[in-house]
Amino acid sequence: MFQSTGEIIDGVAKITLKGELDAAASGQFKDTIEKMAEQNPKKVVMFMEELDFMASSGLRVLIFAKQKMGAGVDIHLIGCQEPVLNSLEMSGFHHSVYLQETYSEV
Amino acid sequence: MEALQLPATLDALGPIRDYVSEASKKAGLERKAAYNLKLAIDEIATNVILHGYEEAGLSGEIKISFEMNDEKIVLVLEDRGKPYDSRRHEDPSEADLELPLEERAIGGLGIFLALKGVDGFDYQSENGNNRNVFSMNRPN
């Protein structure tokens, strides 16, 4: 079961991902990104603490997010579980997104 | 544990992952090894469903079974779609993996992550039956 929800607060897209993000669920995640992108956020923050599994289809949506929002819009991934972090690092995503344990509004 | 056989659609992925988790538990795999095995099988099963069946205009079933001995656990994913040997897939290069996301090609990471995470992988295709075979060493 996967769930992605998003809202824009003060120009920041805040997206929460929960459950298992596989190829069956990646369309839902992509829809959330597209809805957020319509409002041209200046920054994207994704809360990942409750995301238990992420396949490469999830990585592809992150690539889509960066390409859709634009290179100038920073993406922050907050509280990734260790195996998810491992996939992100093996794929070299840590060069392009900010991986943080916790989020602070600054 | 009996083999699990399901129609080859994306709805099969969740039950396949649950099956792998259960098998990993029986084999006493550590958390990281269990996750890597689950990820590997999910990635290859996704390719079988999307490319082996749907893109090829075929429909059919996907089956997973497992066995283990003192040293290792072996899971076999079987299908009758279009054959594809993931070992022939070319890994992304170091330079590819350092590219910023805005310059990335979408795709190519699934098999890379899958095969990096398991201790053994083999593939056989015979008489229309394709077998992706994954193995993990059991902890001492």
Side-chain angles (χ1 to χ4, degrees):
Chain A
M1 187 65 190
F2 172 74
Q3 202 185 354
S4 68
T5 51
E7 55 179 345
I8 305 260
I9 300 171
D10 296 334
V12 178
K14 294 187 175 179
I15 297 170
T16 303
L17 305 182
K18 292 181 181 179
E20 303 202 324
L21 176 46
D22 64 6
S26 60
Q28 189 193 333
F29 180 27
K30 196 175 173 195
D31 288 346
T32 304
I33 296 292
E34 283 183 322
K35 277 194 202 113
M36 296 291 104
E38 282 168 10
Q39 300 179 59
N40 298 313
K42 56 185 188 213
K43 184 162 96 171
V44 179
V45 181
M46 297 191 198
F47 297 92
M48 313 276 280
E49 292 94 337
E50 293 180 58
L51 186 70
D52 302 317
F53 176 84
M54 183 171 67
S56 65
S57 44
L59 296 174
R60 279 198 289 281
V61 179
L62 290 176
I63 294 175
F64 170 79
K66 192 73 184 175
Q67 295 179 348
K68 185 90 181 169
M69 307 268 186
V73 178
D74 290 339
I75 297 180
H76 297 250
L77 305 183
I78 313 298
C80 293
Q81 294 184 25
E82 197 247 316
V84 171
L85 199 59
N86 188 49
S87 292
L88 289 164
E89 289 180 345
M90 276 178 69
S91 310
F93 279 42
H94 55 301
H95 300 304
S96 297
V97 300
Y98 295 93
L99 300 169
Q100 294 165 252
E101 283 184 28
T102 55
Y103 179 63
S104 57
E105 312 252 355
V106 276
Chain B
M1 231 168 110
E2 281 189 24
L4 177 70
Q5 188 158 345
L6 295 161
T9 69
L10 292 177
D11 290 341
L13 293 174
I16 288 173
R17 286 197 303 276
D18 290 344
Y19 184 94
V20 176
S21 294
E22 189 65 24
S24 296
K25 205 180 284 176
K26 283 186 194 295
L29 293 190
E30 286 167 8
R31 191 168 169 255
K32 186 174 182 182
Y35 184 93
N36 287 345
L37 181 60
K38 183 165 71 170
L39 178 63
I41 293 173
D42 179 89
E43 294 288 354
I44 301 298
T46 298
N47 287 349
V48 164
I49 292 163
L50 294 180
H51 305 304
Y53 281 110
E54 287 184 12
E55 267 179 28
L58 301 170
S59 61
E61 299 204 309
I62 188 164
K63 178 181 168 188
I64 185 157
S65 58
F66 103 109
E67 56 188 67
M68 64 180 169
N69 58 30
D70 289 346
E71 276 98 46
K72 61 183 181 178
I73 169 173
V74 178
L75 283 112
V76 183
L77 190 69
E78 290 176 86
D79 69 270
R80 298 185 67 80
K82 186 180 167 193
Y84 182 73
D85 185 348
S86 299
R87 295 173 303 184
R88 295 198 335 240
H89 176 83
E90 200 172 317
D91 277 348
S93 67
E94 287 284 319
D96 290 335
L97 294 174
E98 285 179 14
L99 272 182
L101 296 192
E102 56 271 22
E103 294 172 23
R104 294 267 188 129
I106 294 197
L109 289 168
I111 294 174
F112 167 70
L113 288 177
L115 301 195
K116 282 261 185 236
V118 291
D119 292 326
F121 176 76
D122 195 17
Y123 178 82
Q124 299 123 20
S125 180
E126 210 175 341
N127 301 325
N129 192 45
N130 311 313
R131 289 164 50 90
N132 287 279
V133 184
F134 306 80
S135 65
M136 289 299 254
N137 300 327
R138 296 180 69 189
N140 295 324

